[in-house]
C-alpha cells in the first residue's frame, strides 16, 4: 500500500571498492535481517513458537501441572524440560526469535526515523512538469490573488505548503509515518518494560490467617513461595500486615459474589493504618502491591497433652477445589508431650491430626464434601496420629502434609478418627484431649513489585495511538500551477481561454479510496479562493480521475 | 425474560437459515451474468497494474468493484449464453435472482434484529452485560459480525453475494452456541466484577466480530482470484458470481485495518485488568497466549499487505489463519486448556 521497499534504503554504499569480505558479509546479513520479509518470517515464527507454551503446562503458570505431567510422562518430560518446554516463554528458542525480531525492528525503524525527520523538515517537492499524468487532475478558473491565495486556501485546510513562483506544492498526512514510527518504537519500549520487570521485580505468595497471631512482615523468609528478579537486593520494602476481617458473600448456589479484606498495615515505621482490598482492587503500598488470590477457613485446634499443657493453633485448611470450600489440612504438634519437669522431648510422642473441614456439612454421611462455602453446619473430621512426625525440630510449623514414609515404616501410627462440631472435644486413648475451638478466616496473598508496569502502560498507549495514526491517516500531495490568461487548456482546447486558469493535480501516496472526492472538493475550494471553501462541489469542478479517462 | 431470550435465539437461527437459502437461490439463479463480469474486470485490473504507481491501487480496485456491480445490473439484458433460452427468459431469471437477494438481505436484517433482542433480553435477565460465559460470548461476537456486515452492505451494496458465506457462518455459530454451549444465567463471579470487564470484553468481542466478518471476503477473495486466473475446478467455480477479486481483497483489508487497533486496545485493557485482578499484566495464561498469537498473525497480515513482493494470496491466507486463531481462543482454549480464564464457563 505504500511505497515501502522490501528493504529500507541504505544510501551510503561505496561503489566499486572492494571491501573487506567479512564486512560485506556483515552488511549483507544486516540488510537481510532488517528486511520486511525477514520481519514477516520472524513474526510468523513467533506465533508458532508461542503454541507449545499454551499446550504444555508451564511452571510460571501452574507448577503443579508440570509435576503432574512429569508423573504421567516420565520418559518424555525430562527431554522436554531440557529444551525449556515448561518455561517456553523464557526458553532460548523463544527468546532468540523475539530478540532477532526486535533487532530487525530497530534496524528497520532507525533509518526510517532519520528519513522521516528529514521529510518533516523539508518543503514539499517541486511541481512536476506534466501534471496531467498524475492520478487526479483538473483545470479550473484561477482565484483572485494567484498563488498566494491558493497557498492560503491549502494552509487553512492544514496542508503543508511550498510556493515556488506560480507553482504551489502541498502535502498532508505526515502523521501516518509519525504514527507508524511511534507504534514500532512503543513496541521496543514494551520489551524494555518487560525486561525491567523481570530484572528488578519480585513477588511472593503466602497465607495470612486473621488475628494478631497471623501478622506477617515483608521479608523473604515469610513467603511460602518467592521469586526475586536477579537485580533485586536483599531489602524488600518494610511493612507488616494483619488481617482484621475477611468478608465473603456467596449466592445460594455457592458461587461467590464479593470479597473484601480489612487489614491493618504499618509501613516502614509509619503509624498502623486500616486498609481494605479485594479482588480487582489490590492494596497499593509503597514499593509493593498486595493482591487477594484466595481464601478459606483455618480451624482453631487445641491439644492438651499428657502433662496437661495446651497448645492452640489456627491451621489453614486448603481448599480441595470444590464450590463448597471443603478444606484439607494437617495440624501438627511436634512439641507435644515434652515433660515439663525434665524438659525431655520424646520424639515418639509427637501428635498430628489430619482431616477435612466442611463449612456446611451435609445432614447425612458421608461427610466428605461441604455443600456451601458459608459456615452453616461446620464439621471437622479428624484422624489422629502419634509417633515420630519425621520433622527435624525447629522447622516452622506450617506443613500441610503428613510424611508418608513415617507411616509406612511404622514410626507413626494412626490412632483413630472422629468428627467434631465447634466446641466439642475428643479424648484420645492415652487421655490427651483435642478440641475444636472454632475457625478463623485466612486469605491467600500475592505481594508483588514490578517497576516496569508504568513504562508498559505508557508504551501501550503509544502503541494504540501510533497504530491508529499509521492505519487511518493517508499521505497525499497536491500540486497547483497557475497559468496566465489566454493560454487555454492544452488538453481540451477549452473555451475558457481568456481568463486565467489554474491546473491542479493530486497524488495519493498511500492507499486512499476517498481521494477523488477530497480532491474534487479541494479543487473547488482552490478555484473559489477559499470563499465558498466547504460548499465545494457546487462549482462543478471538472476533476477527473485518470483511470476514468483511459 | 431468560426464556424469551432463548426463544429469540432459536427464531433468529431459523431466520438466518432462511436468509442463507434465499442467498443460495439468488446465487443459483444468477448464472447468466457471471461470464461478463469476469472478463472485463480482469482486463481492467491487469491494465491498471501495469499502468500506475502503487498509490493508485485503491482507487482502481474500488472502481473495479463498482464496475462489477454495474456489469451485474446490465448483465441480465445483454448476456445470454447459448442454450439459456430467449433474452426475456434470462431477464426473468435475473429478476428472480435479484428478488432472492433482496429477500435474503431483508431476512438477515430481521434475524439480526431478533439476535439483538435476544442479547438485550439476556442482559436484562442477568442484570449485566451478556458476556459472562462462552454461550453469551459467541452470541455477541456473531451479532457484531452480522451488524458490521449490514453496515458494509449499506456502503457497498454490490457485495451482497458474500451474504451466502456470511449467513452460513452465522447459522453455524449461533446454532453451535444454542445447541452445544448453552448455559443458564448466573451472575458474575467477583473476579469479573470490574469496569474493565466491560472495556476489555466489549472491545475484544467487537474486534472478534469484525475479524469474523473480515475472514469472509478473504475466503471469497481466494476463490475469486483463483477463478479469475482461469481455475475451473471445484471451489473456484463457486466464485463465478462473486464480486471481483480486487474489491474483495480491499474489503478484507479495510475490515482488518479497522479491527486490529480495537483488538490491540482490547488486549491492552485485558492486561490492565489482569494487573489489578491477578497481580501481573501478562502471565502467558492460555487465553493470553492465544490472543498474543492472533495479534502477531494479524500484525503479519498487515505487514504482508504492505510488502509488495508478498503475493496477495499469501496475505489472504494470513487473514484466514488469524481468524482460525481467534476461533481457537474462543472455543479451543476453553475446551482444551485450564487457565485463569476458565470461569468463562463452558
Ligand atoms: C515486533 C515486530 C513487529 C510488529 C508486531 C509490527 C507490527 C506492525 C503493524 C501492526 C503494522 C501495521 C500498521 C500499518 O499498516 O501502518 C506495521 C507496519 C509497518 N511495519 Fe511493522 N511490526 C514489527 C516489526 C517491523 C520490522 C522489523 C519492520 C522492518 C523491517 C517493520 C516495518 C514496518 C513498515 C514499513 C510498516 C508500514 C507499512 C505500511 O505502509 O502500512 N515492522 N508493523
Amino acid at each position: 500500500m505504500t511505497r515501502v521497499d522490501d528493504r529500507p534504503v541504505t544510501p551510503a554504499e561505496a561503489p566499486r571498492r572492494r571491501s573487506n569480505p567479512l564486512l560485506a558479509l556483515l552488511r549483507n546479513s544486516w540488510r537481510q535481517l532488517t528486511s520486511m520479509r525477514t520481519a514477516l518470517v520472524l513474526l510468523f515464527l513467533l506465533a508458532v513458537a508461542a503454541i507449545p507454551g499454551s499446550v504444555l503446562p508451564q511452571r510460571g503458570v501452574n507448577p503443579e501441572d508440570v509435576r503432574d505431567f512429569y508423573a504421567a510422562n516420565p520418559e518424555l518430560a525430562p527431554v522436554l524440560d531440557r529444551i525449556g518446554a515448561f518455561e517456553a516463554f523464557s526458553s532460548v528458542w523463544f527468546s532468540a526469535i523475539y530478540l532477532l525480531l526486535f533487532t530487525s525492528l530497530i534496524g528497520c525503524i532507525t533509518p526510517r526515523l532519520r528519513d522521516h525527520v528529514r521529510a518533516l523538515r523539508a518543503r514539499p517537492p517541486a511541481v512536476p512538469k506534466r501534471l496531467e499524468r498524475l492520478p487526479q487532475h483538473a483545470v479550473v478558473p484561477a482565484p483572485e490573488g494567484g498563488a498566494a491565495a491558493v497557498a492560503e486556501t491549502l494552509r487553512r485546510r492544514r496542508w503543508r505548503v511550498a510556493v515556488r513562483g506560480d507553482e504551489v506544492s502541498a502535502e498532508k498526512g505526515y502523521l501516518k509515518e509519525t504514527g507508524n514510527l511511534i507504534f514500532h518504537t512503543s513496541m521496543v519500549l514494551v520489551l524494555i518494560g518487560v525486561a525491567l520487570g523481570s530484572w528488578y521485580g519480585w513477588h511472593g505468595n503466602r497465607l495470612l490467617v486473621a488475628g494478631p497471631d497471623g501478622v506477617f512482615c515483608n521479608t523473604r523468609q515469610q513467603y511460602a513461595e518467592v521469586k526475586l528478579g536477579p537485580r533485586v537486593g536483599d531489602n524488600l520494602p518494610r511493612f507488616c500486615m494483619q488481617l482484621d476481617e475477611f468478608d465473603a458473600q456467596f449466592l445460594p448456589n455457592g458461587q461467590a459474589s464479593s470479597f473484601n479484606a480489612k487489614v491493618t498495615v504499618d509501613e516502614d515505621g509509619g503509624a498502623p493504618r486500616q486498609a481494605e482490598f479485594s479482588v480487582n482492587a489490590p492494596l497499593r503500598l509503597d514499593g509493593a502491591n498486595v493482591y487477594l488470590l484466595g481464601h478459606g477457613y483455618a480451624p482453631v485446634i487445641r491439644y492438651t497433652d499428657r502433662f496437661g499443657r495446651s497448645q492452640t493453633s489456627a491451621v489453614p485448611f486448603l481448599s480441595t477445589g470444590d464450590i463448597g470450600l471443603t478444606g484439607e489440612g494437617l495440624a501438627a504438634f511436634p512439641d507435644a508431650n515434652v515433660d515439663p519437669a525434665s524438659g525431655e522431648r520424646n520424639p515418639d510422642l509427637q501428635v498430628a491430626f489430619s482431616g477435612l473441614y466442611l463449612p456446611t456439612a451435609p445432614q447425612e454421611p458421608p461427610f466428605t464434601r461441604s455443600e456451601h462455602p458459608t459456615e452453616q453446619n461446620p464439621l471437622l473430621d479428624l484422624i489422629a496420629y502419634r509417633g515420630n512426625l519425621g520433622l527435624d525440630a525447629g522447622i516452622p510449623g506450617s506443613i500441610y502434609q503428613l510424611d508418608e514414609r513415617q507411616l509406612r515404616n511404622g514410626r507413626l501410627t494412626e490412632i483413630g478418627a472422629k468428627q467434631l462440631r465447634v466446641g466439642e472435644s475428643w479424648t484420645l486413648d492415652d487421655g490427651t484431649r483435642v478440641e475444636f475451638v472454632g475457625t478463623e478466616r485466612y486469605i491467600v496473598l500475592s505481594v508483588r513489585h514490578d517497576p516496569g508496569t508504568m513504562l508498559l502502560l505508557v508504551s501501550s498507549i503509544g502503541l494504540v495511538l501510533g497504530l491508529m495514526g499509521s492505519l487511518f491517516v493517508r499521505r497525499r500531495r497536491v500540486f497547483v500551477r497557475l497559468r496566465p490568461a489566454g493560454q487555454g487548456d492544452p488538453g481540451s482546447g477549452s473555451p475558457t481561454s481568456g481568463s486565467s486558469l489554474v491546473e491542479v493535480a493530486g497524488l495519493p501516496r498511500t492507499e486512499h479510496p476517498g481521494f477523488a472526492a477530497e480532491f474534487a472538493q479541494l479543487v473547488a475550494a482552490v478555484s473559489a479562493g477559499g470563499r465558498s471553501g466547504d460548499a465545494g462541489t457546487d462549482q462543478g469542478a471538472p476533476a477527473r480521475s485518470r483511470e476514468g479517462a483511459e | 425474560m431468560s426464556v424469551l431470550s432463548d426463544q429469540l435465539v432459536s427464531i433468529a437461527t431459523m431466520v438466518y437459515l432462511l436468509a442463507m437459502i434465499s442467498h443460495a437461490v439468488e446465487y443459483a439463479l444468477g448464472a447468466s451474468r457471471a461470464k461478463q463480469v469476469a472478463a472485463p474486470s480482469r482486463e481492467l485490473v491487469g491494465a491498471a497494474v501495469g499502468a500506475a504507481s502503487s498509490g493508485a491501487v485503491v482507487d482502481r480496485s474500488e472502481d473495479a468493484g463498482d464496475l462489477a456491480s454495474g456489469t451485474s445490473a446490465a448483465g441480465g439484458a445483454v448476456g445470454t449464453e447459448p442454450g439459456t433460452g430467449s433474452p426475456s427468459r434470462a431477464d426473468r431469471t435475473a429478476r428472480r435472482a435479484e428478488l432472492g437477494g433482496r429477500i435474503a438481505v431483508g431476512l438477515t436484517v430481521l434475524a439480526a434484529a431478533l439476535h439483538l433482542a435476544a442479547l438485550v433480553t439476556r442482559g436484562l435477565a442477568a442484570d449485566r452485560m451478556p458476556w459472562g460465559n462462552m454461550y453469551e460470548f459467541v452470541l455477541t461476537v456473531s451479532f457484531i459480525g452480522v451488524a458490521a456486515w449490514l453496515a458494509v452492505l449499506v456502503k457497498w451494496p454490490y457485495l451482497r453475494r458474500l451474504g451466502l458465506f456470511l449467513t452460513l457462518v452465522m447459522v453455524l455459530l449461533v446454532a453451535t452456541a444454542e445447541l452445544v454451549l448453552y448455559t443458564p444465567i448466573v451472575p458474575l463471579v467477583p473476579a469479573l466484577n470490574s469496569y474493565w470487564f466491560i472495556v476489555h470484553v466489549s472491545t475484544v468481542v467487537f474486534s472478534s466480530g469484525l475479524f469474523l466478518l473480515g475472514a469472509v471476503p478473504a475466503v471469497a477473495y481466494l476463490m475469486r482470484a483463483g477463478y479469475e486466473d482461469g481455475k475451473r475446478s471445484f471451489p473456484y467455480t463457486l466464485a463465478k458470481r462473486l464480486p471481483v477479486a480486487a474489491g474483495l481483497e480491499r474489503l478484507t483489508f479495510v475490515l482488518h485495518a479497522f479491527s486490529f487497533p480495537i483488538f490491540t486496545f482490547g488486549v491492552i485493557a485485558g492486561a490492565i485488568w489482569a494487573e489489578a485482578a491477578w497481580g501481573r499484566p501478562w502471565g502467558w495464561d492460555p487465553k493470553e497466549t492465544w490472543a498474543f498469537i492472533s495479534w502477531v498473525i494479524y500484525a503479519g497480515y498487515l505487514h504482508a499487505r504492505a510488502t509488495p513482493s508478498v503475493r496477495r494470496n499469501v496475505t489472504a491466507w494470513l487473514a484466514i489463519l488469524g481468524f482460525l486463531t481467534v476461533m481457537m481462543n474462543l472455543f479451543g482454549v476453553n475446551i482444551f486448556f485450564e487457565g485463569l480464564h476458565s470461569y468463562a464457563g463452558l
Side-chain angles (χ1 to χ4, degrees), chain B:
Chain B
M1 202 64 121
S2 147
V3 177
L4 175 63
S5 167
D6 300 349
Q7 285 165 346
L8 284 169
V9 172
S10 307
I11 304 172
T13 319
M14 294 311 296
V15 181
Y16 279 126
L17 192 64
L18 290 176
M20 187 180 100
I21 293 170
S22 309
H23 270 302
V25 167
E26 176 194 18
Y27 217 79
L29 292 178
S32 54
R33 303 167 182 172
K35 285 263 155 62
Q36 313 112 26
V37 181
S41 57
R42 277 268 300 154
E43 265 166 40
L44 179 99
V45 173
V49 168
S53 70
S54 62
V57 169
V58 195
D59 288 2
R60 197 190 321 122
S61 50
E62 201 184 45
D63 288 350
D66 283 329
L67 187 106
S69 63
T71 324
S72 288
V78 187
T80 35
E81 284 177 57
T84 338
S86 66
S88 72
R89 204 172 132 202
D91 208 27
R92 230 181 307 131
T93 323
R95 250 184 284 127
R96 266 195 228 134
E98 178 68 21
L99 188 64
R102 280 167 191 272
I103 291 177
V105 172
L107 286 172
T108 312
V109 171
L110 176 62
L114 291 166
H115 196 155
L116 178 63
L119 284 173
V120 170
T121 46
R122 176 98 181 171
L124 287 175
D127 197 19
R128 58 171 166 77
M129 291 299 178
W131 310 321
N133 51 48
M134 215 161 118
Y135 169 71
E136 296 171 0
F137 238 66
V138 173
L139 280 189
T140 311
V141 168
S142 50
F143 173 74
I144 302 291
V146 79
W149 161 244
L150 293 173
V152 165
L153 261 190
V154 170
K155 192 142 187 229
W156 299 293
Y158 57 88
L159 291 169
R160 193 176 67 209
R161 288 185 173 185
L162 286 181
L164 178 58
F165 296 80
L166 183 100
T167 45
L168 171 67
V169 175
M170 291 305 293
V171 170
L172 289 179
L173 278 182
V174 180
T176 313
E178 198 185 355
L179 301 176
V180 184
L181 306 173
Y182 182 76
T183 338
I185 290 179
V186 284
L188 294 177
V189 297
L192 292 183
N193 201 351
S194 154
Y195 50 87
W196 285 110
F197 170 68
I198 296 176
V199 177
H200 167 62
V201 178
S202 64
T203 44
V204 168
V205 164
F206 185 67
S207 51
S208 302
L210 287 176
F211 284 141
L212 162 83
L213 182 59
V216 169
V219 173
Y221 166 77
L222 284 174
M223 287 164 54
R224 179 70 198 188
Y227 184 80
E228 288 177 11
D229 278 345
K231 292 195 186 126
R232 291 292 179 272
S233 53
F234 162 61
Y236 301 109
T237 47
L238 287 181
K240 214 153 73 167
R241 274 152 240 155
L242 289 176
V244 287
L248 291 171
E249 201 280 332
R250 183 167 157 69
L251 177 65
T252 311
F253 172 69
V254 169
L255 290 170
H256 283 90
F258 187 60
S259 187
F260 186 74
I262 302 174
F263 182 62
T264 308
F265 177 80
V267 172
I268 291 171
I272 295 175
W273 181 17
E275 193 281 328
W278 302 322
R280 81 289 182 291
W282 196 268
W284 298 109
D285 171 83
K287 269 253 186 281
E288 291 169 347
T289 306
W290 280 92
F292 171 81
I293 294 174
S294 301
W295 193 82
V296 168
I297 298 265
Y298 282 121
Y301 166 79
L302 293 175
H303 263 192
R305 195 169 183 280
T307 314
S309 66
V310 176
R311 286 193 306 132
R312 290 283 153 101
N313 273 11
V314 177
T315 341
W317 274 115
L318 277 174
I320 294 168
L321 191 63
F323 179 64
L324 292 180
T325 62
V326 169
M327 286 291 111
M328 173 67 193
N329 214 354
L330 200 55
F331 293 99
V333 170
N334 294 37
I335 294 167
F336 302 129
F337 307 130
E338 191 183 308
L340 290 167
H341 282 80
S342 320
Y343 49 65
L346 258 179

Side-chain angles (χ1 to χ4, degrees), chain A residues 303 332-338 345-352 385-393 406 411-413 415:
Chain A
Y303 176 68
F333 295 94
D335 298 331
N337 298 318
V338 176
R345 165 188 297 269
N346 183 343
D348 294 329
L349 290 181
Q350 293 178 328
V351 178
Y385 299 90
R386 189 168 50 232
N388 189 327
L389 292 178
L391 300 170
D392 292 326
Q406 299 295 96
R411 287 201 212 131
L412 190 61
T413 43
I415 49 177

Side-chain angles (χ1 to χ4, degrees), chain A residues 1-2 4 34-36 39 43 101-102 104-105 108 112 180 183-184 187 467 470-471, chain B residues 260 295 299 302-303 306:
Chain A
M1 52 174 147
T2 41
V4 184
T34 54
S35 77
M36 279 283 258
L43 273 173
L101 183 58
F102 275 89
S104 167
L105 178 61
C108 178
R112 278 172 57 206
N180 190 298
F183 167 74
H184 285 93
M187 215 125 52
L467 193 56
S470 175
L471 284 169
Chain B
F260 186 74
W295 193 82
L302 293 175
H303 263 192

